[in-house]
Amino acid sequence: MSETRQFDDLPQSEQRLIRHSLEALQHEFDGTFDRETIERFVVDSYERIAAKSKVKKFIGVNAERFARQRLQALARIDSAEPGKPGVLFLCVHNAGRSQMAAGWLRTIAGEDMNVYTGGSEPGAELNPIVVDAMAEVGVDIREEFPKPWTDEIVRAVDIVIAMGCGDVCPIYPGKRYVDWDLEDPEGKSLDAVRVIRDEIKSRVELLVAEFV
């Protein structure tokens, strides 16, 4: 993690925005991480989300969710106990393909797998056509949001599935990587996105059969 400002260094308006999240995560991870670690992840997650988010009123909520995912991933790395299989879906903007794949995997695998997404250049919001296409098949991804990939999440997963993020995708020695060659739904019609959606479902079903 790069150098992050301290909570007390933030303007009062930003402190108010994430104070509840900080307190909630300190309670949730009490005994797992110290206060300084939790604060660092909350502030860093907030700043990463705030830098890109288009809907400002959800920044605090999304920063808490992002920080929780990262802390859970870090806990998995530090644990000696085997956990559930973990998958990270990566694309450029984390607004289309990777979000559809994660939505399908959560729907098909349920609680049997840990699912993460990230982008090399996260967008400001999810592609609304993608959201509509997934809603047609009963998969609700409206509350998801673009986010960057992070070190601890890459380290925590068993497989990284890349979808067009190219040379900027994180490469970690010993990590399993799979490349899914899929069209980018950005700028596509709903009909075209449906084709991409269904192709992703087929690939996710094969993935689940391998792990579950």
Side-chain angles (χ1 to χ4, degrees), residues 44-64:
D44 183 70
S45 297
Y46 163 75
E47 293 194 319
R48 292 181 187 230
I49 296 299
K52 292 288 186 178
S53 181
K54 186 174 182 179
V55 185
K56 301 302 181 184
K57 68 178 181 178
F58 295 136
I59 290 176
V61 173
N62 290 343
E64 179 179 334

Side-chain angles (χ1 to χ4, degrees), residues 70-166:
R70 298 174 67 188
L71 289 166
Q72 289 171 341
L74 188 61
R76 185 186 183 205
I77 295 169
D78 294 341
S79 175
E81 298 295 326
K84 296 183 289 186
V87 179
L88 170 61
F89 293 108
L90 290 176
C91 64
V92 177
H93 301 306
N94 192 216
R97 290 166 290 186
S98 55
Q99 296 287 359
M100 285 193 284
W104 277 127
L105 184 53
R106 293 187 183 106
T107 299
I108 296 169
E111 297 296 321
D112 291 333
M113 299 182 73
N114 291 316
V115 186
Y116 303 95
T117 68
S120 54
E121 299 176 16
E125 61 181 350
L126 261 60
N127 182 330
I129 303 298
V130 164
V131 175
D132 291 344
M134 294 299 286
E136 286 183 341
V137 291
V139 181
D140 186 357
I141 61 171
R142 289 175 299 173
E143 294 186 1
E144 299 303 323
F145 54 97
K147 65 190 78 65
W149 63 268
T150 62
D151 173 80
E152 64 284 338
I153 288 179
V154 178
R155 290 166 57 206
V157 300
D158 299 284
I159 180 171
V160 177
I161 298 178
M163 307 176 189
C165 53

Side-chain angles (χ1 to χ4, degrees), residues 22 25-26 29 33-42:
L22 179 58
L25 292 174
Q26 285 171 346
F29 290 93
F33 300 114
D34 59 30
R35 179 185 178 89
E36 180 181 349
T37 298
I38 296 169
E39 179 180 304
R40 186 170 73 252
F41 272 86
V42 170

